[in-house]
Amino acid sequence: MSIANLAPSSESEIAELVTSETERVHIAGGQSRLIATEKKIISTSALNGIVEYEPGALTMVAKAGTPLSLIKETLQKERQQLAFEPPEFQHILMLPGNSTIGGVFATNASGSRRIQVGAARDHLLGVRFVDGLGRIIKNGGRVMKNVTGYDLVKLLAGSWGTLGLITEVSFKVLPIAETQLTLKLNLCDARILTTAINTPYDISGTFYDAGLRSAYIRVEGFDESVKYRVQQLLAEFSDFEIDILNMEQSKKFWKNVNNLDFLKNITGDLWRISVKPTDGIKIIEILDPKVGFLDWCGGLVWIRIDEGCDVRGKIQKLAGHAMCLLGGFDQFHPSSVIEKKLSASIRNKFDPKMLFNQEILN
Amino acid sequence: MYLTDPNPNILAKKMELVDKLLSFLPSDAVIYDPRETLAYECDALSAYRCPPMVAVLPRTTEEVANIVKLCWELDVPVVPRGSGTSLAGGALPTGDSLVLGVARMNETLEVDYSNRLMRVQTGRTNLSVTGEVESDGFFYAPDPSSQLACAISGNIAMNSGGAHCLKYGVTSNNLLGVKMVTMQGEILDLGGAQLDASGYDLLGVICGSEGQLGIVTEATLRILRKPEGALPVLIGYNDSEVAGQCVSDIIKAGVLPVAIEFMDRPCIRATDAFSQAGYPDCEALLIIEVEGSELEIEEQLAKIIVIANKHNPVELRRAKNTDEANRIWLGRKSAFGAMGQINDYMCLDGTIPVSKLPFVLKRISEMSKEFGLDVGNVFHAGDGNMHPLILYDANKPGDLEVCEAFGAEILKLCVEVGGCLTGEHGVGIEKRDLMHIQYSADDLEAQMSIKDVFDPKWLLNPTKVFPLDASVKRREGASQETAA
Ligand SMILES: Cc1cc2nc3c(=O)[nH]c(=O)nc-3n(C[C@H](O)[C@H](O)[C@@H](O)COP(=O)(O)OP(=O)(O)OC[C@H]3O[C@@H](n4cnc5c(N)ncnc54)[C@H](O)[C@@H]3O)c2cc1C
Ligand SMILES: Cc1cc2nc3c(=O)[nH]c(=O)nc-3n(C[C@H](O)[C@H](O)[C@H](O)COP(=O)(O)OP(=O)(O)OC[C@H]3O[C@@H](n4cnc5c(N)ncnc54)[C@H](O)[C@@H]3O)c2cc1C
């Protein structure tokens, strides 16, 4: 039995649905998670397919319900990729679904390469969506540079389906690097991450295991170039004991990072905390979790901590926000009073009846 | 182009406004003598001029908040201004407006290398930001050609790009946070040193909003460690289609240069005559720059040259040192100046899907004949952002109008082939009435509703971005209140 009870296949169908709808609905992508408990679900599963792909222009257009796996496979054939490495959390959250490209952008889901190439929002070039009034709206386009009018593309990226149902996205893609290597520095300080990123060697991933005190530094590119940069980094960090992960090991390691595999099989609430990079290690010191890891040069903290621990209350003095992925707390961190006011007004413009995802970001 | 008439009810309040401003601002920060307000009558779209009623030059965010509150109470429109280099008329005043210039707000507030960021007041020029951190080996990536003059405030408002944005992105990809003042005088911090927003990405909306949602007074900018070096290669072809194919092949091969610039024959000739750069006389010229250590540059250029040679270039010249690099860049960097020597010019800024380049260039040259005006093309070929430069004679009656009509046709063409009206200069007044071409009524309504949220009275830079007929109700709603 399919959970989805509505699966419209066109924008006009969605617009019609929305105009006549009075009950609240939840927008479901691949249903890697159903956050809300609304009875009715609008699934994007029938909005499926790659609309256009121009490898020479580094751009792709796809319908929102297209499985992320299909996008990745198609890009792979041209040796290209979604450079922001969208994470997939189904394993750790023990959910059956598969991510969709619309869901990736609706949650601004971005992985380790963010420190080098930016987040999902930085790769999203255009959106089409149907808002809560049934209006079919487009913004941005399929070209890489576009400043025509306001940037609602950024607004929709990370809006978690609260402003409208995204029907189509166009985005920038990038070449897959010829090769990659990862340096593993043993028994080092978290500060190593910022030292590494501030070398001229174009680091594409930094990760720190606070328990074992080891740091991982990824270098990608053409063969000769990667070898050269690794040599330079070895010299830079000659005080440390260093292991080198070869291409296969390196790929596997970063995949595990992106899927949070290292947080599996550990009990406790799961939190994701976004802070100033140099504050990352302070968060771990303050909270003293069961396990703690840093990504994004320290700017992204992943922890598992005793159930019921109010993480937000304990780290208030550090700027940033904490999201609870598994545990009894509201998933979203409340924003400042004035941001809340502006955000509520914006939502009211696009979805005055609060049809979509009522419980999210509310 | 139609410029809106000043509202007499607002003009009548000029001295009340000035007196109140002088109660909390030093006298040299309030400019209201009509001879002096002339200094603010235009930006770099200098065909259109209109001095404001008053101009103010605050030094702090609090002063900005007080100025804006006063304007909100008196219903005076506010036009924010950085350095006035907008090519779209974004900073063009109306006769009943107050120009709020941030030129005196140019302090560095924080440099934090560990977190790769820098906090500045937004009146800082783009180049001076890099200047501040350069000696430590860092830089601020977005590099508009106007970087010596343009301010960070204008860069944020226009979401400006530069020659190197193929690799580093545009302003919005390098902006971490802002402090801004809403039209009601509220001071708001968005973003910061952390990478993610906790709710909606309001920072992303502010960037590129052309001074219509708030006055941005401080910015947190991403700074990056400089690469070890950079060198360009120059490649000439006798067919623009072949040049386009070469670019596409390079990208498909997985090489990602930091810049790929393209010039067509009229532009090559003009720049070469002007700068003596020694460019080949051919149909299409590419300048492709890569970065890294010597070895890395070597590796990338070798790949590019193999691909370029497959397409039989008429010339291929690779720079071996900085001197040779500068020579290659010399012509490109003086392209606008060179065209300006020939005649007055209008610089367009549409973006097209790169695969449509040959078709669009062909159509532009046909239209050039139809309109009887010459045009040269400079093009950020990696990302499809075109800069057709249309030559006209400002002293010849009717020439500007023909030029504008020609420009509008080119921009329509850009949209028709799947591109957009503006890739980096913004809409301003210049393209506001063309917005219908790219956006439906609902698309525009969605954007305008964001302005309703931030600026319910439509007092901030109200005549920009949106077609005048689309925004009229909202703007008149504001001025009726004034009359009442
Ligand atoms: C900060 C962060 C937190 C995350 N937390 C979780 C989590 O708790 N659980 C989890 O499984 N994954 C989480 N993810 C991962 C994210 O859900 C997946 O990466 C992404 O692939 C979801 O795709 P999906 O198609 O499965 O979306 P779904 O899981 O179906 O939906 C995710 C959210 O996006 C909305 N949405 C999906 N498609 C659209 C659309 N077309 N238009 C409008 N809105 C849409 C949904 O309403 C929902 O709010 C998180 C990612 C990030 C960046
Ligand atoms: C020769 C030349 C070359 C150029 N090259 C490029 C280029 O390569 N790339 C590119 O992108 N642009 C280029 N431009 C265009 C222009 O320089 C940019 O748009 C620049 O960002 C404008 O900055 P400014 O400080 O001069 O802003 P202004 O012209 O003063 O204002 C521009 C806009 O910003 C708003 N604004 C200014 N300050 C604030 C504030 N504090 N808060 C809110 N809004 C504000 C104004 O209201 C206006 O809408 C070029 C211009 C020239 C003349």
Side-chain angles (χ1 to χ4, degrees), chain A residues 114 121-122 138 145 147 150 162 198 225 228 272 278 341, chain B residues 113 115 173 186 196 200-201 212 228 296 351 422 424 443:
Chain A
R114 174 173 200 166
R121 56 91 90 172
D122 296 296
K138 69 168 178 305
K145 263 171 92 184
V147 296
Y150 295 170
T162 60
N198 280 337
S225 161
Y228 164 78
R272 173 192 185 276
T278 47
K341 189 184 81 180
Chain B
Y113 292 127
N115 289 299
N173 312 114
E186 288 168 308
D196 261 351
Y200 294 151
D201 187 353
Q212 292 199 303
E228 289 173 87
E296 291 172 291
T351 307
T422 169
E424 58 183 17
D443 297 339

PDB file of all heavy atoms in Angstrom, chain A residues 114 121-122 138 145 147 150 162 198 225 228 272 278 341, chain B residues 113 115 173 186 196 200-201 212 228 296 351 422 424 443:
ATOM      1  N   ARG A 114      30.942  21.281   1.067  1.00  0.00           N
ATOM      2  CA  ARG A 114      30.396  22.632   1.202  1.00  0.00           C
ATOM      3  C   ARG A 114      31.471  23.689   1.433  1.00  0.00           C
ATOM      4  O   ARG A 114      31.364  24.818   0.948  1.00  0.00           O
ATOM      5  CB  ARG A 114      29.435  22.651   2.385  1.00  0.00           C
ATOM      6  CG  ARG A 114      28.977  24.038   2.650  1.00  0.00           C
ATOM      7  CD  ARG A 114      27.903  24.124   3.676  1.00  0.00           C
ATOM      8  NE  ARG A 114      27.253  25.411   3.462  1.00  0.00           N
ATOM      9  CZ  ARG A 114      26.124  25.760   3.973  1.00  0.00           C
ATOM     10  NH1 ARG A 114      25.476  24.929   4.719  1.00  0.00           N
ATOM     11  NH2 ARG A 114      25.624  26.936   3.732  1.00  0.00           N
ATOM     12  N   ARG A 121      21.966  25.339  -1.863  1.00  0.00           N
ATOM     13  CA  ARG A 121      21.407  26.628  -2.297  1.00  0.00           C
ATOM     14  C   ARG A 121      22.328  27.366  -3.260  1.00  0.00           C
ATOM     15  O   ARG A 121      21.876  28.151  -4.079  1.00  0.00           O
ATOM     16  CB  ARG A 121      21.059  27.518  -1.100  1.00  0.00           C
ATOM     17  CG  ARG A 121      22.165  27.828  -0.098  1.00  0.00           C
ATOM     18  CD  ARG A 121      22.943  29.065  -0.401  1.00  0.00           C
ATOM     19  NE  ARG A 121      22.426  30.279   0.182  1.00  0.00           N
ATOM     20  CZ  ARG A 121      23.066  31.439   0.139  1.00  0.00           C
ATOM     21  NH1 ARG A 121      24.287  31.512  -0.402  1.00  0.00           N
ATOM     22  NH2 ARG A 121      22.543  32.521   0.649  1.00  0.00           N
ATOM     23  N   ASP A 122      23.614  27.141  -3.154  1.00  0.00           N
ATOM     24  CA  ASP A 122      24.546  27.813  -4.056  1.00  0.00           C
ATOM     25  C   ASP A 122      24.562  27.179  -5.443  1.00  0.00           C
ATOM     26  O   ASP A 122      25.115  27.752  -6.373  1.00  0.00           O
ATOM     27  CB  ASP A 122      25.961  27.794  -3.467  1.00  0.00           C
ATOM     28  CG  ASP A 122      26.039  28.578  -2.167  1.00  0.00           C
ATOM     29  OD1 ASP A 122      25.820  29.795  -2.213  1.00  0.00           O
ATOM     30  OD2 ASP A 122      26.273  27.972  -1.107  1.00  0.00           O
ATOM     31  N   LYS A 138       7.551  30.870 -11.173  1.00  0.00           N
ATOM     32  CA  LYS A 138       8.927  30.475 -11.476  1.00  0.00           C
ATOM     33  C   LYS A 138       9.862  31.588 -11.018  1.00  0.00           C
ATOM     34  O   LYS A 138       9.477  32.754 -10.937  1.00  0.00           O
ATOM     35  CB  LYS A 138       9.103  30.196 -12.967  1.00  0.00           C
ATOM     36  CG  LYS A 138       9.007  31.420 -13.855  1.00  0.00           C
ATOM     37  CD  LYS A 138       9.486  31.106 -15.269  1.00  0.00           C
ATOM     38  CE  LYS A 138       9.359  32.312 -16.186  1.00  0.00           C
ATOM     39  NZ  LYS A 138       8.025  32.911 -16.273  1.00  0.00           N
ATOM     40  N   LYS A 145      24.376  32.504 -14.446  1.00  0.00           N
ATOM     41  CA  LYS A 145      24.388  33.851 -13.858  1.00  0.00           C
ATOM     42  C   LYS A 145      23.069  34.543 -14.159  1.00  0.00           C
ATOM     43  O   LYS A 145      22.686  34.671 -15.318  1.00  0.00           O
ATOM     44  CB  LYS A 145      25.553  34.663 -14.410  1.00  0.00           C
ATOM     45  CG  LYS A 145      26.735  34.603 -13.453  1.00  0.00           C
ATOM     46  CD  LYS A 145      27.948  35.199 -14.050  1.00  0.00           C
ATOM     47  CE  LYS A 145      28.091  36.657 -13.734  1.00  0.00           C
ATOM     48  NZ  LYS A 145      29.260  37.200 -14.449  1.00  0.00           N
ATOM     49  N   VAL A 147      20.592  37.665 -12.283  1.00  0.00           N
ATOM     50  CA  VAL A 147      20.198  38.541 -11.174  1.00  0.00           C
ATOM     51  C   VAL A 147      18.923  39.303 -11.538  1.00  0.00           C
ATOM     52  O   VAL A 147      18.713  40.421 -11.089  1.00  0.00           O
ATOM     53  CB  VAL A 147      21.319  39.522 -10.768  1.00  0.00           C
ATOM     54  CG1 VAL A 147      22.523  38.776 -10.238  1.00  0.00           C
ATOM     55  CG2 VAL A 147      21.733  40.429 -11.934  1.00  0.00           C
ATOM     56  N   TYR A 150      14.119  39.498  -7.710  1.00  0.00           N
ATOM     57  CA  TYR A 150      14.541  38.962  -6.416  1.00  0.00           C
ATOM     58  C   TYR A 150      14.909  37.486  -6.521  1.00  0.00           C
ATOM     59  O   TYR A 150      14.353  36.749  -7.330  1.00  0.00           O
ATOM     60  CB  TYR A 150      13.417  39.106  -5.385  1.00  0.00           C
ATOM     61  CG  TYR A 150      13.052  40.512  -5.030  1.00  0.00           C
ATOM     62  CD1 TYR A 150      11.910  40.763  -4.270  1.00  0.00           C
ATOM     63  CD2 TYR A 150      13.819  41.609  -5.426  1.00  0.00           C
ATOM     64  CE1 TYR A 150      11.553  42.050  -3.922  1.00  0.00           C
ATOM     65  CE2 TYR A 150      13.460  42.897  -5.072  1.00  0.00           C
ATOM     66  CZ  TYR A 150      12.320  43.113  -4.323  1.00  0.00           C
ATOM     67  OH  TYR A 150      11.957  44.370  -3.978  1.00  0.00           O
ATOM     68  N   THR A 162       7.334  24.692   3.077  1.00  0.00           N
ATOM     69  CA  THR A 162       6.386  25.551   3.798  1.00  0.00           C
ATOM     70  C   THR A 162       5.912  26.740   2.976  1.00  0.00           C
ATOM     71  O   THR A 162       5.061  27.495   3.432  1.00  0.00           O
ATOM     72  CB  THR A 162       7.014  26.094   5.099  1.00  0.00           C
ATOM     73  OG1 THR A 162       8.173  26.860   4.749  1.00  0.00           O
ATOM     74  CG2 THR A 162       7.416  24.964   6.030  1.00  0.00           C
ATOM     75  N   ASN A 198      43.149  26.817   5.273  1.00  0.00           N
ATOM     76  CA  ASN A 198      43.813  28.078   4.957  1.00  0.00           C
ATOM     77  C   ASN A 198      45.174  27.917   4.287  1.00  0.00           C
ATOM     78  O   ASN A 198      45.955  28.853   4.200  1.00  0.00           O
ATOM     79  CB  ASN A 198      43.916  28.957   6.205  1.00  0.00           C
ATOM     80  CG  ASN A 198      42.601  29.659   6.459  1.00  0.00           C
ATOM     81  OD1 ASN A 198      41.802  29.842   5.546  1.00  0.00           O
ATOM     82  ND2 ASN A 198      42.367  30.052   7.697  1.00  0.00           N
ATOM     83  N   SER A 225      48.387  17.078  -9.729  1.00  0.00           N
ATOM     84  CA  SER A 225      48.056  18.146  -8.806  1.00  0.00           C
ATOM     85  C   SER A 225      47.763  17.600  -7.403  1.00  0.00           C
ATOM     86  O   SER A 225      48.215  18.143  -6.396  1.00  0.00           O
ATOM     87  CB  SER A 225      46.859  18.910  -9.373  1.00  0.00           C
ATOM     88  OG  SER A 225      46.242  19.644  -8.373  1.00  0.00           O
ATOM     89  N   TYR A 228      50.967  16.513  -5.759  1.00  0.00           N
ATOM     90  CA  TYR A 228      51.720  17.691  -5.333  1.00  0.00           C
ATOM     91  C   TYR A 228      51.159  18.268  -4.034  1.00  0.00           C
ATOM     92  O   TYR A 228      51.889  18.516  -3.078  1.00  0.00           O
ATOM     93  CB  TYR A 228      51.675  18.747  -6.446  1.00  0.00           C
ATOM     94  CG  TYR A 228      52.074  20.122  -5.989  1.00  0.00           C
ATOM     95  CD1 TYR A 228      53.425  20.456  -5.812  1.00  0.00           C
ATOM     96  CD2 TYR A 228      51.115  21.088  -5.703  1.00  0.00           C
ATOM     97  CE1 TYR A 228      53.790  21.721  -5.375  1.00  0.00           C
ATOM     98  CE2 TYR A 228      51.474  22.352  -5.270  1.00  0.00           C
ATOM     99  CZ  TYR A 228      52.808  22.666  -5.103  1.00  0.00           C
ATOM    100  OH  TYR A 228      53.171  23.903  -4.659  1.00  0.00           O
ATOM    101  N   ARG A 272      22.348  17.910  15.254  1.00  0.00           N
ATOM    102  CA  ARG A 272      23.169  18.519  14.209  1.00  0.00           C
ATOM    103  C   ARG A 272      23.256  19.997  14.557  1.00  0.00           C
ATOM    104  O   ARG A 272      22.234  20.689  14.658  1.00  0.00           O
ATOM    105  CB  ARG A 272      22.472  18.334  12.876  1.00  0.00           C
ATOM    106  CG  ARG A 272      23.093  19.050  11.723  1.00  0.00           C
ATOM    107  CD  ARG A 272      22.108  19.001  10.547  1.00  0.00           C
ATOM    108  NE  ARG A 272      22.691  19.581   9.358  1.00  0.00           N
ATOM    109  CZ  ARG A 272      22.688  20.870   9.099  1.00  0.00           C
ATOM    110  NH1 ARG A 272      22.162  21.733   9.923  1.00  0.00           N
ATOM    111  NH2 ARG A 272      23.229  21.305   7.975  1.00  0.00           N
ATOM    112  N   THR A 278      35.239  27.777  14.400  1.00  0.00           N
ATOM    113  CA  THR A 278      36.113  27.614  15.567  1.00  0.00           C
ATOM    114  C   THR A 278      35.336  27.323  16.855  1.00  0.00           C
ATOM    115  O   THR A 278      35.924  26.945  17.860  1.00  0.00           O
ATOM    116  CB  THR A 278      37.000  28.864  15.787  1.00  0.00           C
ATOM    117  OG1 THR A 278      36.180  30.030  15.691  1.00  0.00           O
ATOM    118  CG2 THR A 278      38.115  28.937  14.745  1.00  0.00           C
ATOM    119  N   LYS A 341       9.195  37.106  12.753  1.00  0.00           N
ATOM    120  CA  LYS A 341       8.105  37.955  12.288  1.00  0.00           C
ATOM    121  C   LYS A 341       8.137  38.076  10.759  1.00  0.00           C
ATOM    122  O   LYS A 341       7.125  37.902  10.087  1.00  0.00           O
ATOM    123  CB  LYS A 341       8.272  39.352  12.931  1.00  0.00           C
ATOM    124  CG  LYS A 341       7.098  40.272  12.714  1.00  0.00           C
ATOM    125  CD  LYS A 341       7.374  41.669  13.283  1.00  0.00           C
ATOM    126  CE  LYS A 341       8.214  42.469  12.302  1.00  0.00           C
ATOM    127  NZ  LYS A 341       8.538  43.834  12.779  1.00  0.00           N
TER     128      LYS A 341
ATOM    129  N   TYR B 113      40.888  35.063  10.224  1.00  0.00           N
ATOM    130  CA  TYR B 113      41.388  34.092   9.245  1.00  0.00           C
ATOM    131  C   TYR B 113      40.960  32.670   9.576  1.00  0.00           C
ATOM    132  O   TYR B 113      40.667  31.881   8.688  1.00  0.00           O
ATOM    133  CB  TYR B 113      42.914  34.171   9.138  1.00  0.00           C
ATOM    134  CG  TYR B 113      43.399  35.466   8.515  1.00  0.00           C
ATOM    135  CD1 TYR B 113      44.341  36.269   9.143  1.00  0.00           C
ATOM    136  CD2 TYR B 113      42.886  35.880   7.287  1.00  0.00           C
ATOM    137  CE1 TYR B 113      44.780  37.451   8.566  1.00  0.00           C
ATOM    138  CE2 TYR B 113      43.310  37.065   6.707  1.00  0.00           C
ATOM    139  CZ  TYR B 113      44.260  37.850   7.351  1.00  0.00           C
ATOM    140  OH  TYR B 113      44.664  39.016   6.772  1.00  0.00           O
ATOM    141  N   ASN B 115      38.275  31.559  10.737  1.00  0.00           N
ATOM    142  CA  ASN B 115      36.932  31.291  10.224  1.00  0.00           C
ATOM    143  C   ASN B 115      36.753  31.811   8.802  1.00  0.00           C
ATOM    144  O   ASN B 115      35.636  31.854   8.292  1.00  0.00           O
ATOM    145  CB  ASN B 115      35.885  31.870  11.169  1.00  0.00           C
ATOM    146  CG  ASN B 115      35.810  31.084  12.460  1.00  0.00           C
ATOM    147  OD1 ASN B 115      35.504  29.898  12.435  1.00  0.00           O
ATOM    148  ND2 ASN B 115      36.154  31.719  13.570  1.00  0.00           N
ATOM    149  N   ASN B 173      27.249  33.908  -3.137  1.00  0.00           N
ATOM    150  CA  ASN B 173      27.964  32.706  -2.721  1.00  0.00           C
ATOM    151  C   ASN B 173      29.132  33.019  -1.783  1.00  0.00           C
ATOM    152  O   ASN B 173      29.782  32.113  -1.272  1.00  0.00           O
ATOM    153  CB  ASN B 173      28.501  31.937  -3.942  1.00  0.00           C
ATOM    154  CG  ASN B 173      27.453  31.741  -5.008  1.00  0.00           C
ATOM    155  OD1 ASN B 173      27.558  32.280  -6.104  1.00  0.00           O
ATOM    156  ND2 ASN B 173      26.415  31.010  -4.699  1.00  0.00           N
ATOM    157  N   GLU B 186      14.079  49.223  12.003  1.00  0.00           N
ATOM    158  CA  GLU B 186      14.526  48.095  12.828  1.00  0.00           C
ATOM    159  C   GLU B 186      15.900  47.625  12.350  1.00  0.00           C
ATOM    160  O   GLU B 186      16.137  47.534  11.150  1.00  0.00           O
ATOM    161  CB  GLU B 186      13.565  46.911  12.685  1.00  0.00           C
ATOM    162  CG  GLU B 186      12.242  47.113  13.369  1.00  0.00           C
ATOM    163  CD  GLU B 186      11.237  46.045  12.951  1.00  0.00           C
ATOM    164  OE1 GLU B 186      11.033  45.845  11.743  1.00  0.00           O
ATOM    165  OE2 GLU B 186      10.661  45.424  13.860  1.00  0.00           O
ATOM    166  N   ASP B 196      24.888  27.822   8.047  1.00  0.00           N
ATOM    167  CA  ASP B 196      23.492  27.565   7.727  1.00  0.00           C
ATOM    168  C   ASP B 196      22.550  28.574   8.356  1.00  0.00           C
ATOM    169  O   ASP B 196      22.772  29.023   9.467  1.00  0.00           O
ATOM    170  CB  ASP B 196      23.104  26.194   8.313  1.00  0.00           C
ATOM    171  CG  ASP B 196      23.136  25.118   7.276  1.00  0.00           C
ATOM    172  OD1 ASP B 196      23.293  25.442   6.099  1.00  0.00           O
ATOM    173  OD2 ASP B 196      22.994  23.950   7.663  1.00  0.00           O
ATOM    174  N   TYR B 200      14.224  30.429   7.100  1.00  0.00           N
ATOM    175  CA  TYR B 200      14.336  30.812   5.696  1.00  0.00           C
ATOM    176  C   TYR B 200      15.656  31.519   5.453  1.00  0.00           C
ATOM    177  O   TYR B 200      16.187  32.217   6.324  1.00  0.00           O
ATOM    178  CB  TYR B 200      13.201  31.766   5.291  1.00  0.00           C
ATOM    179  CG  TYR B 200      11.828  31.154   5.331  1.00  0.00           C
ATOM    180  CD1 TYR B 200      10.709  31.942   5.578  1.00  0.00           C
ATOM    181  CD2 TYR B 200      11.637  29.797   5.107  1.00  0.00           C
ATOM    182  CE1 TYR B 200       9.438  31.396   5.614  1.00  0.00           C
ATOM    183  CE2 TYR B 200      10.370  29.244   5.143  1.00  0.00           C
ATOM    184  CZ  TYR B 200       9.272  30.042   5.402  1.00  0.00           C
ATOM    185  OH  TYR B 200       8.026  29.495   5.437  1.00  0.00           O
ATOM    186  N   ASP B 201      16.145  31.381   4.245  1.00  0.00           N
ATOM    187  CA  ASP B 201      17.411  31.994   3.849  1.00  0.00           C
ATOM    188  C   ASP B 201      17.160  33.463   3.473  1.00  0.00           C
ATOM    189  O   ASP B 201      17.210  33.837   2.310  1.00  0.00           O
ATOM    190  CB  ASP B 201      17.972  31.203   2.662  1.00  0.00           C
ATOM    191  CG  ASP B 201      19.371  31.628   2.265  1.00  0.00           C
ATOM    192  OD1 ASP B 201      19.877  32.627   2.810  1.00  0.00           O
ATOM    193  OD2 ASP B 201      19.952  30.965   1.387  1.00  0.00           O
ATOM    194  N   GLN B 212      15.907  47.478  -2.253  1.00  0.00           N
ATOM    195  CA  GLN B 212      14.459  47.643  -2.081  1.00  0.00           C
ATOM    196  C   GLN B 212      13.921  47.036  -0.810  1.00  0.00           C
ATOM    197  O   GLN B 212      12.731  47.180  -0.513  1.00  0.00           O
ATOM    198  CB  GLN B 212      13.726  47.008  -3.262  1.00  0.00           C
ATOM    199  CG  GLN B 212      13.944  47.741  -4.575  1.00  0.00           C
ATOM    200  CD  GLN B 212      12.862  47.383  -5.576  1.00  0.00           C
ATOM    201  OE1 GLN B 212      12.680  46.212  -5.882  1.00  0.00           O
ATOM    202  NE2 GLN B 212      12.139  48.375  -6.069  1.00  0.00           N
ATOM    203  N   GLU B 228      48.326  29.612  -5.429  1.00  0.00           N
ATOM    204  CA  GLU B 228      49.755  29.930  -5.566  1.00  0.00           C
ATOM    205  C   GLU B 228      50.049  30.804  -6.772  1.00  0.00           C
ATOM    206  O   GLU B 228      50.960  31.613  -6.770  1.00  0.00           O
ATOM    207  CB  GLU B 228      50.554  28.624  -5.644  1.00  0.00           C
ATOM    208  CG  GLU B 228      50.575  27.907  -4.301  1.00  0.00           C
ATOM    209  CD  GLU B 228      51.216  26.542  -4.401  1.00  0.00           C
ATOM    210  OE1 GLU B 228      52.443  26.483  -4.270  1.00  0.00           O
ATOM    211  OE2 GLU B 228      50.500  25.560  -4.594  1.00  0.00           O
ATOM    212  N   GLU B 296      50.620  22.567 -11.352  1.00  0.00           N
ATOM    213  CA  GLU B 296      49.179  22.407 -11.576  1.00  0.00           C
ATOM    214  C   GLU B 296      48.702  23.218 -12.769  1.00  0.00           C
ATOM    215  O   GLU B 296      47.851  22.779 -13.535  1.00  0.00           O
ATOM    216  CB  GLU B 296      48.415  22.825 -10.325  1.00  0.00           C
ATOM    217  CG  GLU B 296      48.625  21.873  -9.170  1.00  0.00           C
ATOM    218  CD  GLU B 296      48.017  22.423  -7.896  1.00  0.00           C
ATOM    219  OE1 GLU B 296      48.541  23.417  -7.358  1.00  0.00           O
ATOM    220  OE2 GLU B 296      47.000  21.879  -7.450  1.00  0.00           O
ATOM    221  N   THR B 351      22.099  36.883 -20.048  1.00  0.00           N
ATOM    222  CA  THR B 351      22.774  35.582 -20.005  1.00  0.00           C
ATOM    223  C   THR B 351      22.035  34.617 -20.928  1.00  0.00           C
ATOM    224  O   THR B 351      20.809  34.670 -21.023  1.00  0.00           O
ATOM    225  CB  THR B 351      22.791  34.998 -18.582  1.00  0.00           C
ATOM    226  OG1 THR B 351      23.344  35.964 -17.694  1.00  0.00           O
ATOM    227  CG2 THR B 351      23.637  33.741 -18.510  1.00  0.00           C
ATOM    228  N   THR B 422      19.357  39.849 -17.194  1.00  0.00           N
ATOM    229  CA  THR B 422      20.575  40.394 -16.593  1.00  0.00           C
ATOM    230  C   THR B 422      21.313  39.362 -15.758  1.00  0.00           C
ATOM    231  O   THR B 422      20.709  38.665 -14.936  1.00  0.00           O
ATOM    232  CB  THR B 422      20.293  41.685 -15.781  1.00  0.00           C
ATOM    233  OG1 THR B 422      21.456  42.032 -15.021  1.00  0.00           O
ATOM    234  CG2 THR B 422      19.112  41.532 -14.838  1.00  0.00           C
ATOM    235  N   GLU B 424      24.441  40.122 -14.148  1.00  0.00           N
ATOM    236  CA  GLU B 424      25.169  40.677 -13.002  1.00  0.00           C
ATOM    237  C   GLU B 424      24.922  42.154 -12.751  1.00  0.00           C
ATOM    238  O   GLU B 424      25.213  42.645 -11.671  1.00  0.00           O
ATOM    239  CB  GLU B 424      26.683  40.395 -13.119  1.00  0.00           C
ATOM    240  CG  GLU B 424      27.331  40.953 -14.388  1.00  0.00           C
ATOM    241  CD  GLU B 424      28.818  40.605 -14.508  1.00  0.00           C
ATOM    242  OE1 GLU B 424      29.300  39.703 -13.814  1.00  0.00           O
ATOM    243  OE2 GLU B 424      29.507  41.266 -15.311  1.00  0.00           O
ATOM    244  N   ASP B 443       4.549  35.580 -11.273  1.00  0.00           N
ATOM    245  CA  ASP B 443       5.971  35.584 -10.878  1.00  0.00           C
ATOM    246  C   ASP B 443       6.333  36.925 -10.247  1.00  0.00           C
ATOM    247  O   ASP B 443       7.032  36.993  -9.235  1.00  0.00           O
ATOM    248  CB  ASP B 443       6.882  35.373 -12.101  1.00  0.00           C
ATOM    249  CG  ASP B 443       6.675  34.035 -12.776  1.00  0.00           C
ATOM    250  OD1 ASP B 443       6.154  33.109 -12.123  1.00  0.00           O
ATOM    251  OD2 ASP B 443       7.038  33.912 -13.961  1.00  0.00           O
TER     252      ASP B 443
END
